[in-house]
Amino acid sequence: MRYSVHQWYRHEADQSKSIQRLSSGLRINRAADDAAGFSVSIRMNANIRALRQAQRNVQDGVSLTQVADSALSSMLDHLHRMRELAIQAGNGALTAQDRSVLQDEARLLIRSLHSIAKQTTFNGRALLNTGTEGTPAIPGTPGTPGTPDIPADPGTPDTYEWRPSSATSGGSIDVRYLTQYQFEVSGGADVRNLETTIQLSAEFVRTSKRGPDKQKNLSVTILDSDNRPVQGSTTLTQFPSTSSYSIIGLSPGRYTIEFNSTAAKWGNYHHLNVSVTQNFEEKVRVPGRPPTPGIPGTPGTPGTPDVPATPGTVESVRLQIGANPGDFMDIELSQVTAQSLGIHNLQITDSHALDLIDGAIAKVIGERSKYGAYENRLTSHYSFLDTQVINQTGAVSQIMDADMARESIAFVRSQMAQQASLVAVHSALDLYREYIKTLLTPPTQFPGVQQSLNRKEEALYSVTLKVEEVQ
């Protein structure tokens, strides 16, 4: 009987578990059901919830880019209209009043552009008017160069050089009274004789008609200081006559020119002009350059450095697009006010108006392309997150969800086993009652046996009550 009761309790516990799994649809309802599986499922459920929130974040990012793109589309319409006005203003047939009307419309469009940039927000966050404006570069001023130092001049010593010079001497000689002429050749350490030129100009003077003309000869001899002839004698036979002698390298000293005339025998004579020219070099002192002190240069004045341009700053929005730390995506916002586009003071009649408008259009197109790229990336990432959620949900289902067919079979099996246990318990109780009745009429002389039988009857009654409750 005890075994049957134990089996009945065990099947009751199994039936309770099967009822819990069938009613909840989960295989793991508490950690005791599967400790490892419960831990894994809790983490995966947390990750699935994070992924679903990341999907909502991605949807917010897509909405943000769409708001910015629609505003930039309106700005492009304004800029295209401004370009039309600038081209229309170039029509020479328009009057000044007509161009003023066009300028008024352009001014209103510029204000509208500024309003769009300031009023485009997403959940109170400005999208097209963020950050700060940059500043242009400021060129510096060049410095003035200084003057270099003038070095000291040590000067130069005195030098000596040979300089050409000449001296001429001479006279008129009547050969009747003077038969020689002396001249001095300079010399010494500071004089260097080069060439001595002796020029004679002779004339025959007839004072008597006696004698033939052939006796009108004149002999000339040049002697040194030792009366040695420097060169052979020269005889002049034709008059008037001029002779020149160039003697190179005469040593310093006194030289003599002797004349011997045959005309004096006949009362006639020669008249002679002598010219002695000496070409020589003199050693002349050339004073050197005196030393001069150095003169320091003057320092230059430094210029001012260039001030570099400062780029404008643009804010960004950070989105958590994943379930893990670091799964971020930054969306860079824009600064497309009329001032940042460079058209806040636009005059559509200026020659460069079209260039300014085209530059603004190019910048707005670039911003639209940027937001379009952000939207494509976010949309693609949303699909990725959706796939992650589906896969991880399936994995959790494999761990957590109950197999309904198996649990139904287990429930029926435990229910049938419990009923069989109840039948066994009833049969045992019936036998036990017969046994108790037999024992309840003992002799009165054994009071201890009577007390033991009373206790057994109470226990049997409590078991019977429990069996009846189950039924």
Side-chain angles (χ1 to χ4, degrees):
M1 176 180 173
R2 183 177 299 174
Y3 177 77
S4 299
V5 173
H6 173 70
Q7 290 296 322
W8 179 82
Y9 278 117
R10 187 174 67 82
H11 293 311
E12 182 184 20
D14 293 340
Q15 188 177 3
S16 177
K17 287 183 180 180
S18 297
I19 291 172
Q20 187 179 15
R21 290 172 180 174
L22 289 171
S23 60
S24 65
L26 298 176
R27 184 181 68 87
I28 303 173
N29 290 285
R30 52 182 180 165
D33 294 338
D34 184 353
F38 181 79
S39 176
V40 171
S41 64
I42 290 298
R43 287 197 299 270
M44 294 187 70
N45 279 323
N47 196 57
I48 290 170
R49 294 181 63 180
L51 289 174
R52 286 173 177 164
Q53 181 58 51
Q55 282 184 303
R56 290 191 288 272
N57 291 349
V58 169
Q59 288 175 334
D60 290 340
V62 171
S63 300
L64 183 146
T65 58
Q66 289 174 348
V67 170
D69 183 68
S70 62
L72 290 171
S73 177
S74 298
M75 296 182 74
L76 271 180
D77 293 338
H78 285 55
L79 290 171
H80 289 157
R81 176 56 184 164
M82 291 174 63
R83 197 173 193 280
E84 292 177 4
L85 294 176
I87 294 175
Q88 187 178 0
N91 186 358
L94 298 180
T95 63
Q97 185 177 0
D98 296 334
R99 292 188 175 89
S100 177
V101 172
L102 296 177
Q103 181 62 41
D104 291 340
E105 183 179 355
R107 190 178 299 110
L108 293 175
L109 290 172
I110 292 172
R111 291 180 183 175
S112 179
L113 285 173
H114 192 68
S115 299
I116 293 173
K118 291 184 64 177
Q119 297 174 8
T120 302
T121 60
F122 182 82
N123 193 28
R125 183 74 178 268
L127 301 181
L128 305 180
N129 185 24
T130 64
T132 58
E133 298 284 347
T135 58
I138 302 175
T141 57
T144 57
T147 59
D149 295 340
I150 299 176
D153 186 1
T156 57
D158 294 345
T159 59
Y160 293 88
E161 63 180 18
W162 292 95
R163 292 184 179 176
S165 184
S166 63
T168 302
S169 62
S172 179
I173 299 172
D174 188 346
V175 179
R176 289 178 299 176
Y177 308 108
L178 188 63
T179 60
Q180 64 181 8
Y181 176 79
Q182 292 184 338
F183 63 91
E184 191 80 19
V185 174
S186 302
D190 296 336
V191 177
R192 188 165 60 188
N193 187 43
L194 297 178
E195 182 181 16
T196 302
T197 302
I198 301 172
Q199 188 172 7
L200 302 176
S201 178
E203 183 181 0
F204 177 72
V205 180
R206 183 183 292 274
T207 59
S208 172
K209 294 184 179 181
R210 296 176 59 189
D213 291 341
K214 63 181 182 180
Q215 296 180 352
K216 298 183 295 181
N217 296 335
L218 178 63
S219 176
V220 179
T221 303
I222 301 173
L223 304 175
D224 60 11
S225 57
D226 295 329
N227 289 324
R228 292 177 298 184
V230 175
Q231 63 179 19
S233 299
T234 301
T235 301
L236 302 178
T237 59
Q238 299 294 329
F239 300 95
S241 176
T242 301
S243 296
S244 179
Y245 309 95
S246 293
I247 305 172
I248 298 174
L250 289 179
S251 300
R254 182 178 292 276
Y255 290 83
T256 303
I257 303 175
E258 287 189 347
F259 310 103
N260 184 12
S261 174
T262 59
K265 298 178 179 180
W266 312 100
N268 302 324
Y269 68 95
H270 291 90
H271 183 265
L272 185 66
N273 291 321
V274 179
S275 176
V276 179
T277 301
Q278 295 185 58
N279 295 317
F280 56 90
E281 289 180 339
E282 288 184 296
K283 192 175 184 180
V284 180
R285 176 177 174 270
V286 179
R289 187 174 64 252
T292 57
I295 301 174
T298 59
T301 58
T304 59
D306 295 340
V307 179
T310 58
T313 60
V314 178
E315 298 178 4
S316 61
V317 175
R318 172 164 287 190
L319 299 176
Q320 177 82 33
I321 59 173
N324 301 315
D327 291 343
F328 293 112
M329 175 180 173
D330 292 327
I331 298 179
E332 185 180 288
L333 303 180
S334 304
Q335 177 66 258
V336 287
T337 60
Q339 185 172 2
S340 64
L341 294 175
I343 58 173
H344 57 292
N345 293 324
L346 178 68
Q347 298 292 325
I348 60 173
T349 56
D350 290 346
S351 59
H352 60 281
L354 280 176
D355 293 333
L356 293 177
I357 296 173
D358 288 341
I361 290 174
K363 184 173 182 179
V364 173
I365 290 174
E367 293 299 318
R368 286 199 68 183
S369 301
K370 178 181 74 176
Y371 283 112
Y374 283 141
E375 183 176 353
N376 290 337
R377 180 183 173 188
L378 289 171
T379 303
S380 175
H381 192 71
Y382 183 88
S383 300
F384 166 74
L385 292 176
D386 197 34
T387 304
Q388 289 288 95
V389 169
I390 293 172
N391 292 335
Q392 293 196 27
T393 302
V396 171
S397 177
Q398 293 290 331
I399 298 172
M400 292 288 294
D401 292 350
D403 187 341
M404 301 302 289
R406 180 179 296 177
E407 294 300 331
S408 298
I409 294 172
F411 174 73
V412 173
R413 184 176 61 247
S414 62
Q415 191 177 29
M416 292 174 65
Q418 186 183 24
Q419 291 176 356
S421 298
L422 285 175
V423 172
V425 170
H426 276 291
S427 298
L429 287 176
D430 290 338
L431 292 174
Y432 203 62
R433 285 192 188 98
E434 293 296 330
Y435 175 70
I436 292 299
K437 287 179 181 179
T438 304
L439 295 178
L440 285 179
T441 57
T444 57
Q445 63 269 24
F446 298 107
V449 174
Q450 182 65 38
Q451 292 177 0
S452 177
L453 292 174
N454 291 336
R455 287 195 298 270
K456 288 182 180 292
E457 186 177 5
E458 290 175 359
L460 180 61
Y461 179 73
S462 63
V463 171
T464 303
L465 290 178
K466 290 183 179 180
V467 172
E468 290 176 352
E469 288 177 1
V470 172
Q471 289 179 340

